[in-house]
């Protein structure tokens, strides 16, 4: 193992006066959640010569990462963990040792929206981020080895957070050179492993100083071991930080845009799926994120847009803030609209009626329920005194309690079989686009339900004409159902 300069032939002499980083560098990540765990796992698989340690204070979470029952579900993750774990991938609660021995320290801790104080409801809460910075500084101060460190923002943070961390480190850390970089994640849950194996781009931002550029090259070279060089983008710190917020804002904006059109389609007789396809074949627009639904969820979209709104207001840009805030307003309206449509269609009352909720995760192929539309729909229906029976193939019973509250859960049934959830129900609401819901025996389900039997497709994944032929009263987002059924053909006699 040797310490080397990151000087490259393309930029001769640029790093001649910089401190040298260990090559290959040891890497650790503070935070073993949805971002830190999968990211470090793939990095360990692709870089077998690099020791990668994932740290967390939560002993149960680390124990799960070291077991056959991982704490998160992601297609392909289990196989990659089992290949690298114990070879060059380690999961540990010993955070101090990891900080002490590693050159590159990723910080992937929660940055939730503030619930109180200045910026409540919009600004990011950086409490965990600052605590991580202070712990890194304390360990470095106590260590005899003063090798230079690279601290990497992996959490989604506001613009200029790196400056704040640098200020904390400068005041608290003596004798150790550190460079703070931004390396935002662009993962989509359900496809995270594929996203990490073949990313559209890897973004590394840092100080535009000789040592900062050396740090950028050190981290970029790790990614270049499996990511083509042209896809490893380097920028200044602020561009990297803002790019993450902007990317999520643009994606969420597309969803809210097509959802707004879905309401217009329902009252005009247009079909939102046809409209989405027609505009998506335009190469300037593209087809992704143009499927109407009950609304977007997940840990990032709402949080990041609210953060962007807060930043704009803080910098005196109220018009820009209001523009982006409307994306959230539309999403909240779409969720309320779905629940209201259910009540209105079922003769303006769901009181005492059993409703089967199919899907609770915010999207398929994940057990993550953060900001899931299902939470809002279930709460709205519960307020109308409906009796809910919920089925999701990956969400744990504990997660339902966390999202809906103990009091509400006393009146809600959680089922491990979709047929059980639907039996005796007056209505079915498809909230998550799990593939399994497409292949259920809906004739069997219809026979077991109270009549009239309603089905509300919040993802447009079902065969609506076939459901109507079976006998269901069908409602689908963005479709005038009478128009659709008339167009597709009347039920067979």
């Amino acid at each position: 193992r040797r310490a080397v300069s990151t000087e490259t032939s393309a930029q001769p002499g640029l790093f001649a006066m910089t401190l040298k980083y260990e090559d290959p560098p040891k890497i650790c990540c503070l935070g073993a959640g949805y971002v830190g765990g999968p990211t470090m796992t793939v990095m360990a698989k692709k870089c077998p010569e690099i020791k990668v340690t994932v740290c967390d204070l939560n002993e149960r979470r680390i124990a799960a990462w070291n077991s056959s029952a991982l704490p998160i579900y992601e297609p392909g993750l289990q196989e990659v963990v089992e290949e690298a774990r114990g070879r060059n991938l380690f999961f540990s609660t010993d955070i101090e040792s990891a900080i002490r021995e590693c050159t590159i320290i990723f910080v992937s801790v929660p940055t939730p929206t503030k619930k109180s104080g200045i910026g409540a409801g919009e600004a990011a809460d950086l409490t965990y981020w600052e605590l991580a910075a202070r712990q890194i500084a304390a360990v470095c101060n106590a260590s005899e080895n003063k090798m230079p460190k690279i601290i990497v923002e992996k959490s989604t943070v506001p613009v200029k957070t790196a400056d704040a961390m640098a200020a904390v480190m400068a005041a608290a850390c003596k004798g150790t050179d550190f460079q703070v970089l931004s390396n935002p994640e662009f993962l989509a849950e359900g496809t995270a492993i594929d996203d990490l194996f073949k990313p559209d781009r890897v973004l590394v931002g840092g100080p535009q100083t000789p040592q900062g550029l050396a740090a950028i090259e050190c981290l970029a070279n790790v990614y270049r071991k499996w990511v083509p060089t042209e896809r490893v983008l380097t920028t200044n710190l602020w561009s990297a930080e803002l790019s993450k917020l902007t990317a999520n804002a643009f994606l969420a904006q597309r969803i809210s845009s097509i959802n707004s059109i879905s309401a217009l389609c329902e009252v005009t007789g247009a079909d939102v799926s046809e409209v989405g396809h027609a505009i998506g074949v335009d190469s300037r627009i593209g087809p992704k994120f143009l499927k109407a639904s009950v609304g977007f969820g997940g840990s990032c979209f709402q949080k990041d847009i609210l953060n962007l709104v807060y930043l704009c207001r803080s910098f005196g840009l109220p018009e820009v803030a209001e523009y982006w805030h409307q994306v959230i307003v539309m999403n909240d309206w779409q969720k309320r609209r779905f629940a209201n449509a259910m009540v209105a269609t079922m003769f303006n009352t769901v009181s005492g009626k059993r409703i089967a909720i199919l899907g609770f995760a915010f999207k398929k192929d994940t057990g993550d329920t953060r900001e899931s539309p299902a939470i809002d729909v279930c709460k709205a229906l519960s307020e109308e005194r409906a009796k809910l029976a919920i089925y999701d193939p990956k969400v744990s019973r504990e997660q339902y309690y966390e999202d809906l509250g103990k009091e509400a859960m006393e009146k809600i049934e959680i089922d491990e079989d979709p047929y059980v959830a639907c039996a005796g129900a007056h209505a079915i609401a498809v909230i998550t686009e799990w593939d399994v819901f497409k292949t259920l025996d809906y004739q069997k389900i219809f026979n077991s339900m109270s009549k009239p039997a309603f089905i509300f497709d919040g993802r447009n994944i079902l065969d609506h004409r076939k459901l109507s032929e079976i006998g269901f009263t069908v409602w689908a987002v963005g479709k005038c159902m009478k128009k659709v059924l008339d167009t597709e053909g009347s039920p067979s006699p």
Side-chain angles (χ1 to χ4, degrees), residues 132-134 136-137 140 151 164-174 178 180:
R134 294 187 183 281
I136 294 169
C140 290
I151 302 168
M165 170 167 260
V168 171
M169 294 293 295
C173 185
K174 305 298 181 183
F178 58 87
V180 181

Side-chain angles (χ1 to χ4, degrees), residues 106-402:
F106 285 85
V107 180
S108 184
V109 296
T111 53
T113 302
K114 289 184 70 174
K115 294 182 178 180
S116 61
I118 297 174
E122 293 180 348
D125 185 344
L126 300 178
T127 299
Y128 299 113
W129 177 258
E130 184 175 342
L131 289 173
R134 294 187 183 281
Q135 184 169 20
I136 294 169
V139 172
C140 290
N141 283 338
S143 176
E144 294 181 1
N145 186 343
K146 300 298 182 182
M147 68 176 182
K149 303 282 188 183
I150 300 172
I151 302 168
V152 185
E153 294 177 340
K154 203 62 181 174
S155 309
T156 303
V157 294
V159 180
K160 299 201 173 184
T161 298
D163 281 354
M165 170 167 260
V168 171
M169 294 293 295
C173 185
K174 305 298 181 183
T176 299
D177 182 84
F178 58 87
Q179 297 296 315
V180 181
L181 308 184
S182 176
N183 175 218
E185 55 85 14
F186 297 100
L187 306 180
E189 289 185 44
T191 60
I193 300 303
D194 287 340
D195 294 342
L196 288 163
F197 280 157
K198 298 179 180 179
D200 291 335
R201 78 293 203 193
V202 171
L203 186 57
V204 181
Q208 301 300 291
T209 62
Q211 193 67 47
L213 293 170
I216 290 172
E217 283 298 302
C218 181
L219 178 57
N221 284 337
V222 172
Y223 283 109
R224 288 176 183 135
K225 292 180 183 295
W226 79 94
V227 180
T229 297
E230 64 271 16
R231 294 191 179 186
V232 180
L233 312 181
T234 59
T235 69
N236 68 38
L237 266 174
W238 304 330
S239 294
E241 290 176 333
L242 186 55
S243 293
K244 169 62 176 176
L245 296 182
T246 304
N248 278 344
F250 271 58
L251 294 174
Q253 180 194 48
R254 285 174 71 97
I255 297 173
S256 280
S257 293
I258 197 65
N259 281 344
S260 71
I261 298 302
S262 74
L264 185 59
C265 287
E266 290 165 25
V267 297
T268 61
D271 184 322
V272 73
S273 298
E274 294 177 348
V275 173
H277 176 71
I279 65 174
V281 295
D282 187 327
S283 61
R284 298 169 300 174
I285 298 174
K288 295 184 178 181
F289 287 82
L290 290 179
K291 294 186 182 299
S293 69
V294 64
F296 62 75
S299 64
C300 290
F301 281 2
Q302 178 163 309
K303 175 174 69 72
D304 290 355
I305 291 177
L306 290 173
N307 193 351
L308 185 62
V309 169
Y310 180 71
L311 285 172
C312 292
R313 287 178 177 158
S314 298
F315 287 112
L317 301 170
E319 293 82 3
V320 180
E322 189 57 35
Y323 174 84
W324 287 110
H325 187 254
Q326 192 61 33
V327 174
I328 299 295
V329 171
M330 181 56 61
N331 192 54
D332 290 342
W333 179 74
Q334 182 78 345
K335 290 182 286 188
R336 289 194 308 272
R337 194 172 74 83
F338 183 83
N340 291 343
M342 291 183 66
V343 175
T345 304
M346 296 174 70
F347 315 115
N348 288 316
T349 179
V350 294
S351 180
K353 295 178 181 178
R354 179 181 174 91
I355 298 177
I357 303 294
L358 297 186
F360 198 79
F362 83 92
K363 63 183 291 188
K364 71 174 185 176
D365 294 332
T366 180
D368 192 355
T369 65
R370 287 176 290 182
E371 303 295 342
S372 173
I375 299 172
D376 297 87
V377 172
C378 287
K379 287 181 176 179
L381 295 175
S382 292
E383 289 177 0
E384 295 286 338
R385 300 188 178 183
K387 296 180 179 179
L388 304 182
I390 307 175
Y391 168 76
D392 189 285
K394 289 298 178 181
V395 176
S396 67
R397 183 172 292 269
E398 293 75 17
Q399 192 62 53
Y400 290 116
Y401 275 87
E402 183 176 331

Side-chain angles (χ1 to χ4, degrees), residues 85-101:
R85 190 172 57 196
R87 181 191 69 190
N88 67 319
L89 174 65
F90 304 91
F91 297 93
S92 173
T93 57
D94 189 354
I95 296 176
E96 291 190 5
S97 293
I99 293 173
R100 191 178 300 113
E101 76 167 350

Side-chain angles (χ1 to χ4, degrees), residues 398-411:
E398 293 75 17
Q399 192 62 53
Y400 290 116
Y401 275 87
E402 183 176 331
D403 291 331
L404 298 176
K406 183 178 180 181
E407 183 178 346
M409 286 300 297
E410 292 176 354
K411 304 174 183 177

